[in-house]
């Protein structure tokens, strides 16, 4: 599954200029592939020389089939005295990151949890952030890079722990989304009974309006 945007953990070399606050032109090296890209820090205004942190990388001239755990190197690209020198290196944490601002604290928190995460944690984070939309198991497998067996085992554990649920159609929903759906339904049902106390029940269509589209 190819991507043009990745979030990574990067060690920024002591001899490099600070990264940020604006995106910096770089050359991304992954395996034998090289791409022009722009890199910018996540969760902080500037990633200082010698520091380790989270970086969002936008590929500029073509997508790559990247997965969490893939090693990468960032080299200088702009025609300056630091051209083509190695700036830092690290690994991909999320090859299909959510569309959030780099300053969003929740994004940095998710990435910190993905560092060295096991299959259970990696699956939980991705399912939870999908929110009410949920996610399909095959899409989750492609994005996480987990084998089908490892993912199924992780999902079974999460279900046992009541941290996710599967719909009849196979859609995966995280515990926060399930809890919010339940809360909305209870509120709608309570309001309906207050308006019509003699009604023995509630038609499904009357409650559907309380749920997200």
């Amino acid at each position: 599954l190819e991507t043009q945007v990745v979030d990574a953990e990067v060690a920024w070399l002591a001899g490099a200029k600070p990264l940020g606050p604006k995106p910096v032109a770089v050359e991304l090296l992954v395996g034998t592939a090289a791409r022009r890209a722009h890199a910018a820090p996540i969760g902080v205004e500037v990633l200082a020389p010698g520091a380790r942190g989270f970086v969002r990388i936008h590929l500029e001239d073509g997508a790559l089939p990247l997965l969490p755990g893939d090693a990468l190197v960032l080299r200088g690209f702009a025609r300056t005295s630091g051209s083509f020198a190695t700036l830092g290196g690290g690994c991909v944490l999320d090859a299909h990151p959510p569309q959030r601002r780099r300053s969003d604290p929740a994004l940095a928190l998710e990435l910190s949890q993905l560092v060295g995460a096991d299959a259970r944690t990696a699956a939980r984070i991705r399912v939870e952030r999908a929110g009410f939309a949920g996610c399909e198991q095959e899409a989750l497998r492609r994005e996480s890079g987990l084998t089908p067996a490892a993912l199924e085992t992780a999902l079974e554990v999460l279900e046992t722990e009541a941290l996710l649920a599967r719909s009849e159609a196979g859609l995966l929903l995280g515990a926060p989304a399930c809890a919010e759906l339940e809360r909305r339904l209870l509120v709608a049902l309570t309001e309906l009974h207050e308006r019509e106390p003699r009604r023995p029940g509630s038609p499904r269509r009357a409650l559907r309006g309380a749920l997200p589209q």
Side-chain angles (χ1 to χ4, degrees):
L1 189 61
E2 293 190 335
T3 181
Q4 285 190 278
V5 182
V6 299
D7 288 347
E9 184 186 30
V10 171
W12 203 245
L13 296 185
K17 293 182 178 180
L19 176 64
K22 294 182 178 180
V24 172
V26 296
E27 182 182 34
L28 171 68
L29 305 177
V30 181
T32 59
R35 292 288 189 276
R36 297 182 181 185
H38 279 82
I42 293 173
V44 295
E45 283 289 314
V46 174
L47 185 61
R52 178 180 292 272
F54 304 126
V55 175
R56 175 154 292 176
I57 305 169
H58 287 260
L59 283 65
E60 300 293 332
D61 57 353
L64 285 173
L66 302 178
L67 291 172
D70 284 347
L72 60 85
V73 173
L74 297 176
R75 292 174 59 85
F77 181 76
R79 296 185 180 280
T80 65
S81 58
S83 292
F84 307 111
T86 298
L87 302 174
C91 71
V92 174
L93 293 177
D94 197 343
H96 300 275
Q99 293 184 348
R100 293 181 184 166
R101 297 188 306 275
R102 291 184 285 107
S103 60
D104 186 347
L107 176 59
L109 176 61
E110 283 181 4
L111 292 175
S112 68
Q113 294 173 338
L114 286 174
V115 175
D118 57 14
R120 171 188 168 280
T121 301
R124 177 186 61 79
I125 290 173
R126 289 177 169 84
V127 171
E128 285 185 356
R129 76 181 183 196
F132 297 134
C135 62
E136 297 180 352
Q137 186 165 334
E138 178 58 22
L140 180 60
R141 184 194 65 77
R142 293 196 303 267
E143 292 182 7
S144 65
L146 297 171
T147 65
L151 177 57
E152 180 58 32
T153 298
L155 295 178
E156 289 176 356
V157 171
L158 291 170
E159 282 188 282
T160 300
E161 297 172 333
L163 293 177
L164 69 75
R166 302 193 209 209
S167 71
E168 292 181 357
L171 197 66
L172 303 170
L173 290 173
C178 291
E180 178 60 17
L181 290 174
E182 182 179 10
R183 186 194 68 80
R184 293 189 186 191
L185 286 173
L186 289 175
V187 169
L189 189 60
T190 299
E191 292 176 347
L192 181 63
H193 285 171
E194 289 175 350
R195 292 194 305 269
E196 304 179 54
R198 294 182 180 275
R199 180 187 284 271
S202 174
R204 184 176 297 179
R205 63 179 180 277
L207 298 175
R208 194 168 291 164
L211 301 178
Q213 298 297 320

